[in-house]
Amino acid sequence: MDLRLLASFLAVVEEGHFARAAARLFLSPPAVTQHVRRLESDLGTRLLHRNPVSPTPAGERLAGHARTLLAAANAALDDVAGAAQAPPSAERPLRVGIMGHGSAELTPASVNAFRRARPHVPVELRQLDFTEHVSALVEDRVDVAFVRPTPADERITADAMTTEQRIVAVPESSPLADARDTGALLADVADLPFFTVPGHTPRTFTDYLYFDCAARRRSPHVALTPQEVLTGVVTGRAAGSGLKSFARYYAWPGAVFVPVLDAPHESSYLAVRARDRNPEVQIFRALARALAREMGPRISA
C-alpha cells in the first residue's frame, strides 16, 4: 500500500477539505484528489463523500488503519535515524511500552524507581495502541509493556499490577448515564454501541473490551487509542469499556463512567518477553512487582 496515498487520504479526512489537505501536505489540490482516486481504485470502493467531504463507512475504517500504518512508518524512520546517529558506545535504552494509562499510578512509579536505581540507563516511553497488545514485545519494539489483559501468548510472561472493577464510558446524554453512582449490570450494557477495533487486534483483548462478547453491538466508529474511544463517546457515536482507573485519567467533559457491577474484575499487567535475559528488564520487572505489592491494593480499592 502506497503510504503517500494514505497520507493524502488521511489529511483530507482530518481537514474535511481537499484544498486544506493539499496545503498541509505542500501538494496541489489535483495531486491530492488523484491520490484519493487511486486509493479508491486500488481498494475497489468509495472512501470519501465529496460534497460535503466526509468519510464513507469504508473510509472511516481505513482512516484508523492509515493512522497506524503512517505512525509505524514514521517510527521506523526515527528508529533507523536514531541508530545511525547514536555513538557506538551509547547505552542501550530500556523501551517501556504503555497502553493507554498503563497500570495507573504504578506506571510512573515503576519508571521513576528504575531511573533512580539505574541512572545511567536511558528510558524511552512508547505509547501502544490496542492492536499492539502482543506485537510490540514480539517484534522487539519495546522491552517491557504495561498492558491489559494478560497476553495469551507463550512468548510473553506477565505480572499482575492492579486488579480493578470494570466500567463503561457513555455520553452524558445516554440513559445509562444516570447509573454513574449506582452502577449497571452486564445486561444493561449489552446493547451499547461499543467501538470497533481492527481485525488483527488480539482475541484476548477484544474479549476484554466486549466483556467476553456479552456486549453485542458494534459501532462503525473505529478506535485504536483511549483518546479515539472518548472522541466517539462524547460525540455520541460509540461506547467504551475499561478499568475503573480509566475514569481518573480520562475525565473528559461529556463522558460518563458507569461501574459494571456483575462483570468480573480485570487486571493490568507488566508484560515482558518470556526468554528475555536483559538484566535491565529483570531489574525493571522486580521493581514493578515490588511496587505492585505495595501500591496495588490502594489503586484497586
Side-chain angles (χ1 to χ4, degrees), residues 145-194:
F146 289 94
V147 299
R148 54 196 172 279
T150 183
D153 192 303
E154 63 182 10
R155 296 168 293 180
I156 303 238
T157 186
D159 302 302
M161 296 283 105
T162 66
T163 300
E164 303 179 50
Q165 186 179 43
R166 297 299 306 282
I167 61 169
V168 291
V170 298
E172 57 186 7
S173 59
S174 169
L176 201 61
D178 293 337
R180 71 182 81 192
D181 296 321
T182 57
L185 301 177
L186 280 170
D188 300 321
V189 306
D191 291 323
L192 290 175
F194 282 88

Side-chain angles (χ1 to χ4, degrees), residues 55-106:
T56 65
E60 192 165 334
R61 187 73 60 91
L62 179 63
H65 293 302
R67 290 187 183 94
T68 301
L69 291 168
L70 292 170
N74 289 333
L77 293 175
D78 291 343
D79 190 44
V80 172
Q85 295 169 8
S89 60
E91 187 83 36
R92 171 177 167 163
L94 183 78
R95 302 161 298 170
V96 181
I98 306 172
M99 180 180 289
H101 68 297
S103 293
E105 289 83 356
L106 269 170

Side-chain angles (χ1 to χ4, degrees), residues 5-291:
L5 307 187
L6 283 179
S8 291
F9 163 73
L10 188 58
V12 175
V13 170
E14 293 178 347
E15 297 292 338
H17 197 277
F18 277 84
R20 287 197 297 269
R24 168 173 148 182
L25 298 170
F26 300 101
L27 296 172
S28 67
V32 171
T33 301
Q34 183 62 27
H35 285 175
V36 172
R37 285 177 178 164
R38 282 180 54 193
L39 196 55
E40 290 178 325
S41 176
D42 289 346
L43 295 176
T45 187
R46 181 161 219 133
L47 299 172
L48 292 172
H49 300 297
R50 268 27 179 212
N51 191 20
V53 175
S54 64
T56 65
E60 192 165 334
R61 187 73 60 91
L62 179 63
H65 293 302
R67 290 187 183 94
T68 301
L69 291 168
L70 292 170
N74 289 333
L77 293 175
D78 291 343
D79 190 44
V80 172
Q85 295 169 8
S89 60
E91 187 83 36
R92 171 177 167 163
L94 183 78
R95 302 161 298 170
V96 181
I98 306 172
M99 180 180 289
H101 68 297
S103 293
E105 289 83 356
L106 269 170
T107 302
S110 300
V111 171
N112 290 334
F114 180 83
R115 282 175 167 155
R116 288 192 297 269
R118 308 290 286 170
H120 61 286
V121 178
V123 176
E124 294 181 358
L125 304 182
R126 302 190 178 183
Q127 202 68 38
L128 305 180
D129 67 40
F130 299 149
T131 68
E132 298 175 296
H133 181 236
V134 170
S135 61
L137 280 166
V138 171
E139 296 170 7
D140 194 26
R141 288 184 277 114
V142 299
D143 300 302
V144 300
F146 289 94
V147 299
R148 54 196 172 279
T150 183
D153 192 303
E154 63 182 10
R155 296 168 293 180
I156 303 238
T157 186
D159 302 302
M161 296 283 105
T162 66
T163 300
E164 303 179 50
Q165 186 179 43
R166 297 299 306 282
I167 61 169
V168 291
V170 298
E172 57 186 7
S173 59
S174 169
L176 201 61
D178 293 337
R180 71 182 81 192
D181 296 321
T182 57
L185 301 177
L186 280 170
D188 300 321
V189 306
D191 291 323
L192 290 175
F194 282 88
F195 67 90
T196 299
V197 291
H200 61 284
T201 305
R203 174 65 182 273
T204 52
F205 190 73
T206 57
D207 285 347
Y208 156 80
L209 286 178
Y210 304 135
F211 299 97
D212 290 319
C213 295
R216 296 183 291 264
R217 287 186 60 200
R218 301 290 178 268
S219 164
H221 182 75
V222 177
L224 292 172
T225 66
Q227 291 79 9
E228 291 176 348
V229 171
L230 287 164
T231 298
V233 170
V234 299
T235 56
R237 300 163 64 197
S241 73
L243 301 179
K244 187 176 181 180
S245 57
F246 185 94
R248 294 202 303 277
Y249 281 79
Y250 297 101
W252 281 29
V256 175
F257 303 98
V258 180
V260 184
L261 303 177
D262 58 343
H265 283 41
E266 289 279 2
S267 298
S268 66
Y269 291 83
L270 177 72
V272 302
R273 285 180 289 274
R275 288 175 286 278
D276 194 335
R277 297 295 175 257
N278 180 349
E280 308 305 340
V281 170
Q282 302 307 315
I283 291 169
F284 190 97
R285 184 182 179 192
L287 290 169
R289 289 168 69 176
L291 285 166

